[in-house]
Amino acid sequence: MALPVYVKRQREAPILSLANGARVAEMVVGGLLLISLFELVLHYNVADPNLWARYGISYVRGFWGTLGYIAFVLPVSVALGFAAGWARVSRHRLLAWPSAAYIDFFRGVPLIVAILFAFLYGVDFVPQRIQFFLEDALGVSASTLPYIMAALALAAHSGAYQAEIFRAGFQSIPRGQVEAGEALGLRHFQSMRYVILPQTFRLSLPPLGNELAVLIKDTSVLGAFGASELVGLASEFTQQIPISGGELVWQFAIWSAIALTYFVMTYLVTRVLRLLERRFRTPGLEVVSL
Amino acid sequence: MIRTENIHKYFGALHVLRGISLEVKRGDVLVIIGPSGSGKSTFLRCINLLVRPDEGKVFIDGVQVNRPEISPEWVREQVGMVFQSFNLFTHLTALENVTLAPIRVKKLPKAEAETKAQELLARVGLAEKAEAYPAQLSGGQQQRVAIARALAMDPKAMLFDEPTSALDPEYIREVLDVMTNLARDGMTMIVVTHEMGFASSVASRIVFMDTGLILEEGRPSDIFEHPKNERTRAFVSKILR
């Protein structure tokens, strides 16, 4: 009976705190050290001013392109994954069955093949009226539409994996808690909103962070189809190095810079999720560490 | 207060309840005993419509509630329930467990709901555990929070589904004490339990159920000391030993 009195959970420090700034700085220094090591061995210089005078514009364009794809694909994939994960555990077969088919399909098809199909044929599935609307209202030209379809395929691919994460989250909530909610007079959607979802959210965060890191890096696959993003533009540029009078050793410098960029982006996203995880940590709902 | 008429329930081919009729008056404590699988829990769930009876009528305060026009949520506001496995919401503190339904269902202002929840937690002896999460509480404490949670809806009656059978022996007493006080305060209760001490001191009536039927009904002294039915006698002798 003499259990200690527990205090309400302490508020975590905000995401942009000094301690986190220090962590990021530490990581950047580590990355730079790693690159200097490569430079020593391979005799190239990532910060070569001659290189950046030529490649800089392409890098910046690629960087914003990649950020744009991430900004599009990340929320769409989470929305898709969440909806499909929810539908997957639904009692209604009309919801559960299509969701299962969707998950199985995208898990079974290589990402690059799924993107290829969407890129080549995806536009054919968009009704003309919507195509006109996209062009007139949002300025999406006919030539960018295939890239949007390709990005959607990427989101759908990741969404299928995220659906399984959310499904596991839903299924680990004991049925008795739903019954208890019902017995208190909560309506079905209230049980969902106040009992099930908050717990699913907490349980799904750690694996979700992992999947989002994969997704960020997978936007580079779009580059293979000529999308204007880091990897696509860089491979275009490296092919032209001999023609534009550059040194072949620039290849190492460019790909190192790109690797570092992705590293920083995935690190930041997983960091934010880790902080969310800590902020919502609840006794009895933590993922056990062995 | 609560009356059932000829309740039948089937799970597939299984005929779990075969015509249960009984009445509980205001302030009465009805204890249901019987072997496992006899339909006790299912019958309790028929009263607050967590399980819908296939046949028969359930009345609360004279109103038949198993009708399509009556929302089950309304029925569940009238009758609180406490479960064998507590079923506290893991992500909420004890206090938040108690305030959730009053805030979301009764639309009570948060401050008011919290004041009331504090009183209820004090009533079950857990005033200082308001900020603890279920995982930080013992089984007995969790079950007492669950009782406070049900009481927070101001139910007219309370259903208890084997509230102590998942508890370690040392925690049974504290839960039974809370229930005894509740009965003394005049709460109408239907309790499925095998705690014979509680049954004989608190129950106004005892019902013995087996194979989906009520086989015997009477005062605690009748059932425990002079059971008439063969199977009641066998069951009582087993659990009183």
Side-chain angles (χ1 to χ4, degrees):
Chain A
M1 282 301 291
L3 287 171
V5 178
Y6 288 89
V7 258
K8 199 169 174 77
R9 60 171 177 255
Q10 285 147 14
R11 288 278 164 236
E12 285 296 326
I15 284 165
L16 288 174
S17 72
L18 202 65
N20 286 314
R23 285 236 175 78
V24 172
E26 189 185 310
M27 173 197 76
V28 171
V29 169
L32 290 177
L33 276 176
L34 195 70
I35 287 179
S36 336
L37 187 72
F38 273 104
E39 287 176 348
L40 274 178
V41 178
L42 298 166
H43 308 292
Y44 70 89
N45 178 11
V46 172
D48 182 351
N50 288 329
L51 161 65
W52 287 95
R54 297 240 181 86
Y55 172 58
I57 297 167
S58 169
Y59 175 84
V60 171
R61 259 185 68 208
F63 178 76
W64 287 113
T66 294
L67 273 193
Y69 280 113
I70 291 173
F72 174 69
V73 165
L74 219 88
V76 171
S77 71
V78 173
L80 265 176
F82 183 77
W86 189 341
R88 185 78 187 75
V89 295
S90 168
R91 278 167 296 178
H92 304 286
R93 262 181 228 169
L94 272 172
L95 287 174
W97 196 84
S99 157
Y102 155 68
I103 294 168
D104 283 342
F105 176 81
F106 277 98
R107 261 198 317 203
V109 173
L111 173 59
I112 198 156
V113 175
I115 292 180
L116 181 85
F117 272 105
F119 183 72
L120 293 179
Y121 307 111
V123 178
D124 300 345
F125 292 94
V126 182
Q128 288 263 295
R129 275 166 60 194
I130 292 180
Q131 288 189 34
F132 290 145
F133 169 78
L134 285 173
E135 181 146 15
D136 294 344
L138 303 171
V140 177
S141 67
S143 59
T144 48
L145 200 50
Y147 291 102
I148 291 180
M149 301 313 289
L152 274 177
L154 173 60
H157 170 85
S158 179
Y161 283 92
Q162 290 174 41
E164 288 292 88
I165 291 172
F166 287 117
R167 178 185 64 80
F170 280 117
Q171 285 178 336
S172 43
I173 315 301
R175 171 78 201 128
Q177 289 189 33
V178 182
E179 198 179 35
E182 285 175 3
L184 286 165
L186 293 178
R187 288 171 183 282
H188 183 72
F189 86 89
Q190 288 178 318
S191 293
M192 204 65 193
R193 164 72 184 78
Y194 300 111
V195 177
I196 300 182
L197 287 187
Q199 300 189 56
T200 307
F201 169 71
R202 282 170 176 77
L203 292 167
S204 303
L205 272 181
L208 192 65
N210 209 22
E211 177 57 32
L212 293 185
V214 172
L215 177 59
I216 286 173
K217 288 174 289 171
D218 279 354
T219 55
S220 60
V221 177
L222 298 169
F225 297 88
S228 170
E229 54 78 60
L230 275 171
V231 170
L233 292 183
S235 50
E236 219 167 79
F237 183 84
T238 49
Q239 278 159 24
Q240 292 167 359
I241 289 176
I243 308 168
S244 59
E247 303 168 63
L248 272 174
V249 81
W250 280 3
Q251 296 235 15
F252 293 113
I254 289 170
W255 293 117
S256 304
I258 284 175
L260 185 64
T261 311
Y262 279 102
F263 183 81
V264 171
M265 286 191 291
T266 49
Y267 185 88
L268 287 178
V269 167
T270 45
R271 196 81 224 143
V272 168
L273 278 155
R274 187 79 49 84
L275 284 166
L276 282 175
E277 210 179 293
R278 215 181 293 170
R279 168 159 230 157
F280 291 104
R281 181 175 294 161
T282 308
L285 272 179
E286 56 272 282
V287 175
V288 187
S289 50
L290 296 171
Chain B
M1 166 83 240
I2 295 176
R3 188 156 60 87
T4 68
E5 256 176 37
N6 196 32
I7 300 288
H8 284 262
K9 181 68 197 177
Y10 300 82
F11 288 134
L14 217 61
H15 198 170
V16 221
L17 296 178
R18 303 194 288 161
I20 304 285
S21 303
L22 52 75
E23 187 171 359
V24 183
K25 296 207 167 61
R26 191 172 301 280
D28 268 3
V29 177
L30 177 79
V31 166
I32 304 179
I33 59 172
S36 59
S38 56
K40 307 175 304 256
S41 291
T42 307
F43 174 64
L44 272 196
R45 282 169 169 72
C46 281
I47 294 171
N48 64 356
L49 304 183
L50 282 180
V51 168
R52 279 206 103 88
D54 292 321
E55 261 176 66
K57 293 172 181 170
V58 180
F59 296 91
I60 291 173
D61 270 343
V63 182
Q64 190 196 336
V65 295
N66 59 330
R67 283 184 297 167
E69 318 83 274
I70 292 193
S71 88
E73 287 84 9
W74 180 82
V75 180
R76 292 164 196 158
E77 275 184 64
Q78 318 299 310
V79 188
M81 186 163 194
V82 172
F83 300 88
Q84 179 176 2
S85 48
F86 332 135
N87 297 343
L88 290 184
F89 307 129
T90 319
H91 62 301
L92 300 179
T93 62
L95 189 78
E96 291 166 337
N97 263 280
V98 179
T99 57
L100 178 69
I103 292 175
R104 300 301 169 190
V105 179
K106 290 210 151 161
K107 312 292 180 199
L108 226 60
K110 191 167 176 242
E112 199 178 314
E114 283 179 352
T115 312
K116 194 175 161 197
Q118 282 290 2
E119 286 168 19
L120 284 167
L121 286 175
R123 192 166 158 196
V124 299
L126 291 172
E128 80 284 12
K129 296 291 184 191
E131 303 301 339
Y133 285 93
Q136 297 166 324
L137 298 171
S138 72
Q141 291 171 333
Q142 288 189 53
Q143 192 60 298
R144 286 186 282 151
V145 172
I147 294 173
R149 177 175 71 173
L151 290 175
M153 293 300 282
D154 294 319
K156 294 177 180 162
M158 289 274 283
L159 310 173
F160 292 85
D161 186 14
E162 303 205 31
T164 56
S165 44
L167 291 175
D168 289 334
E170 71 260 41
Y171 299 131
I172 291 177
R173 187 77 262 155
E174 62 193 55
V175 172
L176 291 180
D177 285 347
V178 167
M179 290 168 63
T180 308
N181 288 333
L182 202 55
R184 299 262 149 84
D185 292 346
M187 177 59 79
T188 310
M189 293 163 53
I190 303 183
V191 185
V192 172
T193 186
H194 293 144
E195 293 297 330
M196 294 308 139
F198 172 83
S200 49
S201 64
V202 180
S204 16
R205 255 179 329 135
I206 292 188
V207 154
F208 174 71
M209 267 181 79
D210 196 7
T211 60
L213 287 168
I214 292 181
L215 294 186
E216 194 163 350
E217 190 176 343
R219 287 175 304 169
S221 54
D222 299 337
I223 300 281
F224 290 140
E225 284 150 38
H226 317 289
K228 292 190 195 75
N229 185 289
E230 184 73 34
R231 273 188 278 177
T232 316
R233 208 173 304 149
F235 183 77
V236 165
S237 74
K238 249 184 258 166
I239 53 175
L240 281 186
R241 190 163 17 161

